[in-house]
Amino acid sequence: MAKVYYEHDGDLKHLAGKTVAVIGYGSQGHAHALNLRDSGVKVIVGLPPTSASRAKVQAQKLEVLSPAEATQRGDVVVVLIPDQVQQAVYKSDIAPNLAPGKTLLFAHGFNIHFKFVVPPPAVDVVMIAPKCPGHRLRELFQEGIGVPALLAVEQNASGQAEQTALAYAKGLGSLKAGVIRTTFKEETETDLFGEQTVLCGGVSALIATAFETLVQAGYQPEIAYFECLHELKLIVDLIYQGGIKYMRYSVSDTAEYGDYTRGPVVIDAHVRETMKKVLADIQSGLFAKEWMGENAQGRKRFLELRSKAAEHQIEKVGTELRKMMPWIQTSKEEATAAQAQARR
Ligand code: NAD
Ligand code: MG
């Protein structure tokens, strides 16, 4: 069983007299900065002088400095900028200002695990990764509710790395819910695998392939959209609430029988083998190298893939059909994320 930490395992005294420098003020950054501040921790924020987010930080009466100055002043330096820019910002702004005894804290293990960022041995390297989007982390904190998180220690130069991470998790509110011990390797590899095979890649390809199959067989695209995409939310909500078993309890017996007998025909032994291959490419570092290379070369292929996917018939049909359902509104969280995406 996984090791889980709770409220009594962490003590904010391990952050007393220390300054937490949060680099980045996006989805995770603003939530970490504000939750810790409200927990009585001294927080400063590091952002480039040109960053549009600077005004938001100042509106919260938090001090905002450049990433380099914030690193210099911080005892705990929290790297909450997009994963694909961490290597460059680490090299130019963070590394030159990292003195021995400081703690580097990440919310995802990608750059440390794949060695795009290699901190000096005299620095502690830890991870606290909350298991929800930043805006939810902040909202729930304000309601007095904690969000589960993962904890990992990669370097423990001070001998205090775990205590520092636990104090940080307490400040975020996460110890109220429980914090699960993992490693940078496990968190990084499972995170990539989940998003590639199920959450983003697998689900999108499953939806699109099923939609295309129906349309090519002569069914109307509008009907295919409802059956293969729209209704997915109802099913996922049930699974989220009570597991796959609860979803099966809620659907008709016909749907349940089709699930048992046809699901494994679609997701067959071939898919299992393919998943192993996808996992192997993650474990070997091939995927990470490919993605960082893509960024280094200006993201041409990535942007082409993005615009090609956006032109798929399912998107056009969906845009029209959603006008019939005005109650499907973009949440504040999604709108913020979409805007952040557009600005990048
Ligand atoms: P984000 O895109 O929402 O925010 C990025 C922030 O970094 C912004 O404030 C932006 O101004 C700043 N930034 C961008 N480029 C910069 C640069 N070159 N120099 C300095 N600042 C720069 O990012 P996020 O989604 O909060 O992700 C941050 C980290 O948290 C990542 O490691 C991610 O994997 C991890 N994480 C995110 C979530 C999530 O829900 N979004 C959940 C768990 C972990
Ligand atoms: Mg993830």
Side-chain angles (χ1 to χ4, degrees):
M1 276 303 280
K3 165 92 183 127
V4 186
Y5 302 93
Y6 294 102
E7 208 63 4
H8 60 266
D9 293 311
D11 196 331
L12 280 164
K13 77 177 182 202
H14 295 286
L15 289 177
K18 292 191 174 175
T19 298
V20 171
V22 176
I23 314 294
Y25 201 75
S27 174
Q28 290 291 314
H30 91 284
H32 289 227
L34 297 178
N35 288 8
L36 284 160
R37 193 256 332 253
D38 292 349
S39 296
V41 177
K42 161 93 177 139
V43 174
I44 57 175
V45 175
L47 281 175
T50 52
S51 170
S53 303
R54 279 191 159 227
K56 279 189 257 168
V57 184
Q58 281 154 345
Q60 288 290 341
K61 308 243 182 307
L62 283 171
E63 191 178 357
V64 54
L65 304 155
S66 72
E69 290 165 332
T71 303
Q72 210 166 41
R73 288 255 307 273
D75 299 292
V76 179
V77 181
V78 191
V79 186
L80 295 177
I81 54 182
D83 296 301
Q84 69 274 14
V85 306
Q86 288 183 12
Q87 185 183 35
V89 174
Y90 177 80
K91 270 193 188 142
S92 61
D93 299 333
I94 298 175
N97 297 294
L98 261 191
K102 294 197 191 217
T103 299
L104 262 184
L105 190 146
F106 292 82
H108 177 36
F110 187 90
N111 282 279
I112 291 291
H113 176 60
F114 291 118
K115 304 202 182 318
F116 295 114
V117 166
V118 182
V123 161
D124 287 353
V125 180
V126 300
M127 171 170 36
I128 292 293
K131 288 287 98 187
C132 89
H135 292 86
R136 203 71 194 112
L137 175 67
R138 178 61 185 155
E139 281 165 12
L140 287 169
F141 179 92
Q142 289 174 306
E143 291 167 28
I145 300 167
V147 168
L150 306 183
L151 175 151
V153 174
E154 182 81 4
Q155 281 183 197
N156 185 12
S158 69
Q160 295 290 310
E162 184 180 288
Q163 287 314 315
T164 306
L166 284 169
Y168 188 93
K170 188 163 196 158
L172 278 188
S174 290
L175 283 180
K176 282 184 192 167
V179 170
I180 302 171
R181 179 86 186 210
T182 182
T183 60
F184 274 67
K185 174 181 160 62
E186 182 178 64
E187 187 274 339
T188 303
E189 293 177 354
T190 56
D191 186 80
L192 292 172
F193 181 78
E195 66 200 19
Q196 291 175 18
T197 61
V198 182
L199 309 175
C200 309
V203 163
S204 304
L206 191 66
I207 293 171
T209 306
F211 174 87
E212 288 163 13
T213 303
L214 284 180
V215 172
Q216 280 161 17
Y219 297 95
Q220 299 181 77
E222 291 80 2
I223 307 298
Y225 178 90
F226 275 114
E227 298 307 326
C228 301
L229 186 150
H230 180 76
E231 288 190 23
L232 184 63
K233 172 163 167 51
L234 314 173
I235 294 299
V236 167
D237 283 349
L238 293 169
I239 295 174
Y240 183 74
Q241 214 181 327
I244 296 173
K245 190 173 149 191
Y246 181 63
M247 178 277 285
R248 286 173 172 158
Y249 161 80
S250 306
V251 300
S252 70
D253 285 359
T254 311
E256 187 180 354
Y257 179 73
D259 165 351
Y260 297 134
T261 60
R262 300 307 193 268
V265 174
V266 175
I267 308 297
D268 60 4
H270 175 73
V271 173
R272 193 179 291 268
E273 285 311 307
T274 310
M275 282 193 183
K276 285 183 189 165
K277 167 92 179 54
V278 169
L279 180 60
D281 286 352
I282 291 168
Q283 291 169 328
S284 71
L286 187 136
F287 172 80
K289 206 173 137 205
E290 177 187 317
W291 171 228
M292 291 300 275
E294 178 64 25
N295 280 287
Q297 285 157 31
R299 301 167 38 117
K300 185 165 168 280
R301 175 155 179 261
F302 174 65
L303 296 175
E304 273 169 20
L305 289 168
R306 181 187 275 173
S307 56
K308 184 152 176 282
E311 282 163 19
H312 194 285
Q313 186 185 11
I314 202 168
E315 302 299 349
K316 299 197 171 79
V317 175
T319 302
E320 292 310 311
L321 289 181
R322 286 191 296 273
K323 290 180 188 161
M324 294 164 64
M325 300 176 277
W327 61 88
I328 305 181
Q329 280 175 0
T330 313
S331 71
K332 201 179 94 193
E333 225 164 63
E334 285 164 343
T336 313
Q339 283 174 355
Q341 189 76 30
R343 278 199 306 271
R344 247 177 240 169

